């Protein structure tokens, strides 16, 4: 059960970045393109509570979280391409279920299956990057991938809004099916196998548990993974509640996709800045600055709310812009720091890191988003709590870090 096919012409650096970004972007695409349709979905499926619409987002992350741990060992045993193709196939099955759904539970089931499938490309792409790069060059590549794939959240809400103007909300899932097929063909034709036969590990419980022991025994990897969980919980809460905050609480209505896209541009710019600065200032320092950005901006918004009531729109945009921009700085660095000492078990490590951080963010992010009470204050306080916990965890993880890992 192996796939060692290679393209006639080796993939170049730019195409490699673009392909890894496309595979990683399946997660962002699956979320952002349906944000403008949440209202229509809720109305068509007779969803009673407005906060229940968030399940179309948060349950996708639940599927993503519980399945990532499987793809790492699979790709370590049968090759990276196998893990990608398996995930894409499962994703298509979940998309089909969403297309035929007539009730919210069926749609949510489809979204969970989509999340299970999207975990494959995401985790295996991470392992492929680790196969080819290490250290600060890997952090640079990770930031470039994030910078390229940020085009998705910039345009996906606008695309979703445009599709809604042309067809019912199910047309968005037809688009997701098409995007998946394109990724499958691109990988089939252009992506070479980066894990040779001699580097593969048997798909048996013993070797998998041994690899997990290596991962869990590394303080830096564990600490950075937990830090990512706290940081991404804030981001998931933002994604889940963004339509309610911007379109409803701040009455942006049809301007919501444009505003969301502008915030996505901020993430892209911050990722580009990180790619340029990380080799000079290091991953740890930039991650700390990003976490402080989330915490201080959220504290400022909460204080304004407590003193003067609902802050004006520009204050909300400033708070969200600083917060999501900081995440653009943090995430690539934390992932690279967690993966750096685990090259010998990259597949299992990528799965474990992704699964734990996503499960954490799914639980915490859902709780924060569902605390929305018609005002953004609970979301801001959730951001602040996540930033404090992330700062404490990163400090613990890097306390005894050796210079060569920086």
């Amino acid at each position: 059960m192996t796939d060692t096919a290679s393209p006639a012409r080796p993939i170049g650096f730019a195409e490699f970045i673009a392909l890894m970004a496309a595979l990683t972007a399946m997660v962002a695409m699956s979320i952002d393109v349906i944000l403008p349709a949440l209202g229509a979905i809720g109305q068509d499926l007779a969803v009673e509570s407005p906060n229940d619409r968030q399940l179309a987002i948060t349950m996708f992350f639940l599927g993503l979280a519980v399945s990532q741990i499987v793809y790492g060992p699979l790709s370590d045993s049968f090759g990276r391409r196998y893990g990608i193709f398996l995930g894409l196939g499962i994703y298509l099955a979940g998309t089909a279920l969403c297309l035929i759904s007539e009730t919210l539970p069926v749609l949510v089931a489809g979204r969970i299956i989509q999340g299970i499938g999207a975990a494959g490309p995401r985790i295996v792409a991470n392992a492929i990057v680790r196969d080819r790069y290490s250290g600060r060059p890997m952090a640079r590549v990770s930031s470039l991938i994030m910078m390229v794939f940020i085009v998705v959240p910039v345009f996906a809400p606008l695309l979703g809004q445009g599709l809604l103007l042309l067809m019912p909300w199910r047309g968005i899932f037809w688009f997701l099916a098409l995007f998946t097929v394109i990724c499958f063909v691109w990988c089939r034709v252009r992506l070479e196998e980066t894990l040779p036969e001699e580097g593969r590990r048997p798909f048996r419980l013993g070797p998998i548990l041994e690899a997990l022991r290596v991962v869990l025994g590394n303080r830096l990897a564990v600490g950075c993974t937990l830090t990512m969980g706290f940081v991404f919980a804030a981001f998931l809460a933002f994604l889940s509640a963004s339509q309610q905050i911007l379109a409803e609480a701040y009455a942006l209505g049809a301007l919501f996709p444009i505003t969301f896209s502008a915030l996505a541009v901020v993430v892209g710019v911050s990722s580009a800045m990180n790619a340029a600065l990380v080799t000079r200032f290091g991953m740890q320092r930039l991650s700390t600055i990003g976490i402080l950005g989330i915490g201080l901006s959220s504290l400022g918004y909460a204080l304004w709310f407590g003193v003067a009531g609902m802050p004006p729109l520009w204050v909300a945009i400033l708070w969200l812009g600083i917060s999501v921009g900081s995440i653009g700085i943090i995430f690539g660095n934390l992932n690279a720091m967690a993966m750096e000492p685990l090259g010998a078990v990259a597949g299992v490590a990528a799965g474990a890191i992704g699964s734990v951080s996503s499960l954490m963010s799914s639980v915490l992010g859902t709780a924060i988003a569902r605390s929305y009470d018609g005002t953004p204050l609970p979301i801001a306080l959730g951001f602040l709590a996540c930033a404090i916990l992330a700062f404490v965890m990163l400090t613990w993880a890097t306390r005894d870090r050796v210079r060569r890992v920086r």
Side-chain angles (χ1 to χ4, degrees), residues 78-391:
F78 304 119
R80 308 307 188 202
R81 284 161 55 97
Y82 175 83
I84 290 175
F85 296 147
L86 177 63
L88 292 176
I90 294 173
Y91 184 91
L92 276 176
T95 305
L97 187 57
C98 292
L99 281 167
I100 64 173
S101 62
E102 297 292 342
T103 64
L104 181 63
V106 175
L107 177 71
V108 168
R111 292 291 284 171
I112 292 174
I113 295 172
Q114 277 190 316
I116 293 172
R122 177 187 177 183
I123 288 302
V124 178
N126 195 14
I128 289 173
V129 171
R130 182 59 186 86
D131 288 340
R132 296 182 55 150
Y133 300 96
S134 63
R136 292 186 180 183
M138 184 174 68
R140 176 174 176 267
V141 170
S142 296
S143 293
L144 288 172
I145 290 172
M146 181 170 284
M147 183 178 65
V148 173
F149 103 87
I150 205 60
V151 171
V152 172
V154 169
F155 291 106
L158 297 174
L159 174 62
Q161 189 71 55
L163 290 172
L164 286 176
L165 295 176
L166 299 175
M167 62 189 73
W169 59 267
R170 296 177 199 275
I172 292 176
F173 288 97
W174 281 113
F175 169 79
L176 291 174
L178 175 62
F179 180 78
T180 307
V181 171
I182 291 173
C183 287
F184 182 93
V185 174
W186 194 358
C187 290
R188 183 66 183 172
V189 173
R190 296 294 300 140
L191 181 64
E192 62 184 0
E193 179 57 62
T194 59
L195 183 64
E197 293 278 354
E198 59 271 17
R200 299 184 185 182
R201 303 171 65 90
F203 191 68
R204 296 196 302 267
L205 183 60
I208 292 173
L209 291 177
E210 175 61 23
L212 285 174
R213 187 192 65 78
V214 173
V215 174
L216 296 175
N218 188 282
R219 180 181 185 142
L220 181 64
V222 171
C224 288
T225 298
L226 297 178
T227 305
M228 279 193 288
F230 290 125
V231 170
F232 204 70
F235 191 54
L236 175 56
F238 161 70
L239 290 175
S240 301
S242 61
Q243 192 267 345
Q244 291 166 283
I245 293 174
L246 296 172
E248 298 175 9
Y250 282 100
L252 290 181
L255 293 177
F256 161 67
I258 297 175
T259 307
F260 187 92
S261 297
L263 291 171
V265 170
V266 174
V267 183
V269 171
S270 65
S271 297
M273 291 175 56
N274 185 71
L277 296 175
V278 68
T279 55
R280 179 178 178 184
F281 295 105
M283 296 175 279
Q284 179 181 336
R285 183 182 301 176
L286 291 175
S287 297
T288 302
I289 292 172
I291 292 171
L292 290 175
I294 297 173
L296 293 176
S297 63
S298 301
L299 177 62
Y301 184 91
L303 289 175
W304 186 307
F305 197 105
V307 172
M310 183 82 161
L313 177 62
W314 71 266
V315 175
I317 296 298
L318 183 63
W319 158 51
L320 293 173
I322 293 175
S323 295
V324 299
S326 297
I327 291 170
I329 293 174
I330 295 168
F331 209 73
N333 290 328
L334 288 178
N335 190 66
M337 288 167 65
M339 287 291 293
E340 169 61 20
L342 304 173
V345 290
V348 173
I353 290 168
S355 187
V356 171
S357 61
S358 293
L359 186 59
M360 281 182 61
S361 65
S362 179
V363 173
L364 295 176
T366 299
I368 295 170
R370 292 186 71 83
S371 70
Y372 178 80
D373 60 359
T375 73
L377 179 60
I379 309 299
L381 293 176
F383 276 29
L384 177 59
C386 287
I388 293 172
L389 293 170
F391 182 83

Side-chain angles (χ1 to χ4, degrees), residues 28-37 156-157 159-161 163 172 175-176:
M29 177 71 75
S30 301
I31 298 162
D32 299 331
V33 76
I34 75 165
L35 288 175
L159 174 62
Q161 189 71 55
L163 290 172
I172 292 176
F175 169 79
L176 291 174

